[in-house]
Amino acid sequence: MFVYEKKLQYPVSIKNPNPALAKFIISQYGGPDGELGASLRYLSQRYSMPYPELKGLLTDIGTEELGHLEMVGTIVHQLTRKMSPEEIKKAGFDAYFVDHTAGVYPQFASGTPWTAATMQVKGDVLTDLHEDMAAEQKARTTYDNILTLSDDPDVNNVIKFLREREVVHYQRFGEALRLATEKLDSKNFYMTNPAFKG
């Protein structure tokens, strides 16, 4: 059961529309390392997680990623509001505009639509936690890349907040991996017990 609080985790207030900037920020909405994939990855992995405290962690972070999806969508929406046809063409936003007008559509910066093929749910404790740590680093790198390209302080403040959360999630998943490894080692998970079923 989720409880929806009608406010963003961090305020988004973009003064200047900029569809050119929205073209690459959309990648953190529905791109290969974006928030949509992150939320679905963690909320799906929790079903096969055998340890309640780690299932809770996946639920918590997966839910937070939904909040991040909302923030990125808000950035894209605010960057693409009130565009003239000239601004759309000048920014190279015309192909997106033809397909989606100014709707927030989950896609890569390259225009490829979001696909579940960009995320992994294996059902193996260690594999999934390693996947999660790698995913958080890839998302952090994408936010770094956005900060390299953006000169809008209203956008950058939000992106820096989101980047910090990726670092925190990476650390939390690292702690989870240590805990899971200790629990699995106590059951001879590796080598000596290939029949281990969890």
Side-chain angles (χ1 to χ4, degrees):
M1 178 69 155
F2 297 98
V3 177
Y4 177 62
E5 192 173 345
K6 295 185 179 184
K7 68 175 189 175
L8 297 177
Q9 188 180 12
Y10 186 94
V12 177
S13 182
I14 312 296
K15 293 181 205 69
N16 302 310
N18 184 340
L21 193 53
K23 277 176 39 179
F24 54 84
I25 290 177
I26 195 80
S27 206
Q28 276 304 90
Y29 190 77
D33 305 306
E35 304 293 355
L36 177 59
S39 62
L40 292 176
R41 176 187 302 109
Y42 307 144
L43 292 174
S44 298
Q45 287 176 352
R46 68 190 172 136
Y47 291 103
S48 58
M49 177 56 71
Y51 307 118
E53 62 273 35
L54 301 186
K55 185 177 290 206
L57 176 68
L58 288 165
T59 303
D60 290 348
I61 294 177
T63 303
E64 184 179 349
E65 300 290 15
L66 288 172
H68 295 173
L69 181 70
E70 188 176 31
M71 290 168 62
V72 174
T74 301
I75 293 170
V76 171
H77 170 71
Q78 290 183 11
L79 286 171
T80 58
R81 69 188 185 277
K82 300 177 185 174
M83 299 177 292
S84 69
E86 293 76 25
E87 289 170 322
I88 292 168
K89 291 176 191 171
K90 183 179 176 184
F93 200 72
D94 44 351
Y96 182 97
F97 183 82
V98 167
D99 290 339
H100 310 292
T101 319
V104 179
Y105 178 75
Q107 70 175 41
F108 298 22
S110 64
T112 303
W114 182 82
T115 171
T118 61
M119 54 173 268
Q120 186 54 260
V121 178
K122 200 69 169 171
D124 176 88
V125 176
L126 299 182
T127 303
D128 282 347
L129 289 172
H130 278 285
E131 165 74 14
D132 300 343
M133 291 176 70
E136 293 297 327
Q137 286 299 315
K138 289 185 280 185
R140 180 203 45 83
T141 300
T142 303
Y143 282 127
D144 286 345
N145 294 342
I146 289 169
L147 289 168
T148 298
L149 297 173
S150 172
D151 60 358
D152 186 327
D154 294 336
V155 171
N156 291 354
N157 289 336
V158 183
I159 297 300
K160 286 175 185 175
F161 171 82
L162 291 166
R163 182 193 181 282
E164 285 176 20
R165 296 307 300 161
E166 304 299 345
V167 172
V168 170
H169 293 169
Y170 174 81
Q171 293 167 340
R172 296 289 309 278
F173 284 131
E175 294 163 4
L177 180 61
R178 284 188 293 280
L179 179 64
T181 302
E182 289 170 11
K183 289 177 180 274
L184 291 171
D185 283 347
S186 69
K187 296 180 182 180
N188 295 320
F189 178 67
Y190 286 114
M191 303 300 269
T192 58
N193 189 3
F196 176 77
K197 299 293 183 195

